Amino acid sequence: MINLTLNGMEIKVEKRTTLLEAAKFYGIEIPALCYDEALSPYGACRLCLVEIGTGNHSRLVSSCTYPARDGLIVRTHTERVIKARKLLLELYLATCPSSRTIQDMASKHGVTTVRFKQKNEECILCGLCVRMCAEQMQGKAIGFVNRGIKRRITAPFAKKSEECRLCGGCMYICPACQARCQGPQEENPVCNACLNLSPPCLDYFQEAMCYMDPCVACELGTGRKAKFTY
Amino acid sequence: MNVLHMRLKTPDDLDKLRDDIRQKQEKDKSFLAVCGGTGCSSSGSEKVREVFQQYLNRHNLKKKTTLKFTGCLGLCERGPVVIIFPQGIFYQKVQESDVEEIIEKTFLKGEIIERLLYQDPVNGEKFIYADDIPFLKKQKRILLGNNWLMEPTSIEDYISLGGYQSVVKALTKMTPPEVIAEIKKARLRGRGGAGFPSGIKWQECYDAVSKQKYFICNADEGDPGAFMDRSLLEGNPHSVLEGLIIGGYATGASEGIIYVRSEYPTAVKNVKTAIAQAENLGLLGENILGTGFHFKISVSTGAGAFVSGETTALVAAVEGRLGEPRQKPPHLVERGLWGKPTVINNVETLANVPYIISYGAENFLRLGTEKSGGTKIFSLVGKVNNTGLVEVPLGMTLREIIFDIGGGIKNGKKFKAVQTGGPSGGCLPVSLLDSPTDFEKLNSAGSMMGSGGMIVMDEETCMVDIARYFLRFLEDESCGRCFSCREGISRMLEIVEDITRGKGSVEQLELLKELANVVKDSSLCGLGQTAANPVLATIRYFEDEYFAHILEKRCPAGVCRDLIRFSINEELCQGCDLCLKKCPGEAIRGEKRQPHTILGDKCTKCGICLETCKYNAVVKI
Amino acid sequence: MEERTRTDLENLKKPNGSSVVSLLQEVQEKYNYLPEEILREIAKERDIPLIDIYSVATFYKAFSLAPKGKHKIVTCSGTACHVRGSEKVAREISRVLGIEPGYTTKDGLYSLENVNCLGACALAPLVVVDGKYHGNVTPAKALELFKMYTVHEKEEKEEAGCRCATAKELAK
């Protein structure tokens, strides 16, 4: 077992546990776009940042790839972390506004303006599809090509891959195209519309009767605009 | 005696061989050194050497002297350089036509040829001997010093200069912990960028338990503006091999790999030759000099990626995979090349090792500062008079390097800044000229030592443009894996480009700073974590230039294309038609002998008219 | 083609399985670019997923998936070159050739490349034509240099009985 400090708590975790897994286990929520339990961690989206160490030597690391180590001091919600996370979300919105997942996450973290020029990318290069294809489907049909700003995900020579079995795993796991946001078509890339939904059960009961997040009714579009906005 | 057919079985064999070579070389103590470094080669030194060779052959002078085609001598700006030994007469910008005169006058009669002498760019003083030239006099060349005494691929030359002595000393008189202790005592810090203490690295690898360990020499010199590793590998490859063997012995590694970038074909060739020579002599391979230590070295060539210089990415590249960095920990001493403990040292770091072992840590320490020992090679380039490689004790001030050694700024212009540390570093202004160049001082000034590129900038260099330049470089060279680095750099570039076009705003400048700090904080590897440095450092010291672009829509240095225009001063223009003929955009109009004008909409702002005008009539506004 | 590919592959096989990078370096050396069918063959023969080979081939700058021109022009854009005006030089060359860096002219004569540092910074700005280094280049000098090469090329071509459009255009 490994002993470490997480947000001030002394905790014990199994060997080979990552900081993200440890935080999850102890009920601390850390956002991430490129992480999936079933796939190997990749550390590309940088949203799961946590601060390790103290004083001048503290630094931010991606919790999904950082292994728990004895004596490590981890803080998941420091000012530095939140600031970085918010700006990154703003960048995500400016790059790929049509993703419902990103819009939801931005709303949840209180990102309400975008100061960068608007792009309309379809892909955030989180690599979930690449890992899904290789690790779960044994496909190896798609991968990263080029580097830097020219980096893309594609099949070899941008032609239909012989390895591809059309299983659809890549589309299933994609945070950018799986749930496309119908939201803002106008100038403003932030809609915050999803925030304004409230479960329809509140019409009949004084408290919400289920704890599904997000609410299935809302997901289906039968939820209504809330009386109180947050 | 052909050393390639010998095999040295004991340290005594090496001593005997050295004595033999020295005895043989004694009788031709005089020799001609023609610089064969990249700089001189491109100014035609190979031709010069050929002509020398032909002349010596034709006049039967071969017995009187030897001709050596050496590695880089450092003063690349004045190439091709020829030095006549034993006097050490230094001739610069030697052309094929000068060869006969040099041999007839200087070599045979000892006369000096005035016009080939080095002339000080500032006061015009001429110097005869290499050692007197200020450029060389102020240097302390413990690594580069041998370059002009030997042919890079001659192991005889290297051995006669005392080569492989330190390997003998380490292997026969010291235990691995003693070698590590010596390196620690010398406070040798990595010369590749971060400046991590090498002794600690070695110790960690020594402590790691594994049957197989690797020692990698990082020669993927990617920092733009730095070429010392190239010169060391091309000019004195054996010194790097020697350092690598000692490193392998100290850390318990049995295999060394030199990872060279493919842009340096001569370096690859020379290193391979050197390895073959050392193997033949028994200085590499099984049971080196009968000491029971086995070590082999192989060469791996890079395929062109700046990010592969990052240690974890380098391991991936050597393994032949995508050169992408990964999260540390696990560190390389825990999981390195092929999963085994691995140490990576830069070329220059390793070249220091033989000196430390031979002369002891005290002597090495005496050269540097309190916290780090030894010398550092800088590539002094940009708008400075004497461009080239300079090796100075750590802690020498920037002013001494740029003005005393470098001979000041080109064309009498004013110094504006010096850029150190490559794309991870920053630009230092006039106010910091007197600060010493060591790891700590450069870091606290917002720059870093990096691999030692020192790019001097004058008043005609735009600092916003420099920030733009580095961001463009990094946008291209980032691996693209982390979002913060890939998208962050691209967005910083977007803002800086807007500023250089006169479309920036003060709010954008604030956003730029905010973004720069986040990119620095949240990226995975060293490239991303330092990517914001060029931006932050230029804002820190040259914010007024940013404001000039933003508020006045003006580029004070006259660099940013969208903010300048060319025009012709009618009073000075003689109507010679020269610019009109040369203009690639056909943007210049005017009758012969009448003042010309430039049509703004057709002008491509290439500056050819400014370059060709003999009457200084073309001006940049 | 089939036959040739096969023998090449035999030669490329190494006892202890050389890495993807070194395999591609050998192919690049041999053909001057990475032909698609060879990469597909390698993937099949050596049981490496094609996408892994393709990723490596596009990641590193030394590899090219398209054939290169007869003459290779490399402009350096290292920091030292940049402060001494390499951008203007590169733009001029690009304009004259009518291609962006990374491309080859339609007649297959020139390939233009931009490298981030060639390590001969003392001679900045630097242009390398077919492996020969030219230092201290200015836009005007670049044009002169280029004319020299094209005139030479034109002579060669005229001997062979055809004309080079670029040379013709430049000779006026």
Side-chain angles (χ1 to χ4, degrees), chain B residues 289-302:
Chain B
L289 294 174
T291 56
F293 173 62
H294 314 295
F295 194 69
K296 60 175 184 192
I297 298 179
S298 56
V299 175
S300 170
T301 46

Side-chain angles (χ1 to χ4, degrees), chain B residues 54 149 158 170 187 221 230 368 427 579:
Chain B
Q54 284 164 6
L149 302 176
Y158 186 68
R187 299 198 196 111
E221 186 174 52
R230 173 183 202 157
C427 299
C579 59

Side-chain angles (χ1 to χ4, degrees), chain C residues 32 67-74 97 99 103-105 107-113 128-131 146 148-154 156-157 164 166:
Chain C
N32 220 5
K68 288 274 156 196
K70 190 176 162 196
H71 300 290
K72 198 171 143 195
I73 302 173
V74 183
L97 288 175
I99 47 168
Y103 290 89
T104 303
T105 50
D107 53 14
L109 280 178
Y110 304 98
S111 285
L112 184 59
E113 264 174 55
V128 181
V129 186
D130 293 334
F146 190 69
M148 204 173 79
Y149 276 92
T150 33
V151 168
H152 178 70
E153 185 65 41
K154 187 187 161 199
E156 263 181 23
K157 280 245 160 176
C164 158
T166 353

Side-chain angles (χ1 to χ4, degrees), chain A residues 32-33 45 47 88-111 114 121-126 174-181 189-192 194, chain B residues 483:
Chain A
L33 276 172
C45 77
L47 287 176
L88 287 177
L89 277 167
E90 192 179 331
L91 270 183
Y92 272 112
L93 277 181
T95 312
C96 188
S98 59
S99 157
R100 168 77 178 271
T101 316
I102 291 173
Q103 290 283 0
D104 284 355
M105 213 177 258
S107 296
K108 198 166 174 180
H109 289 85
V111 178
V114 170
E121 299 283 339
E122 298 274 299
C123 174
I124 52 167
L125 297 170
C126 67
C174 178
C177 62
Q178 144 264 96
R180 182 132 322 161
C181 175
V190 193
C191 70
N192 292 141
C194 308
Chain B
F483 180 79

Side-chain angles (χ1 to χ4, degrees), chain B residues 179-194:
Chain B
V179 175
I180 295 174
E182 198 70 17
I183 299 293
K184 276 189 185 164
K185 203 168 137 199
R187 299 198 196 111
L188 175 66
R189 295 178 62 169
R191 303 292 198 243

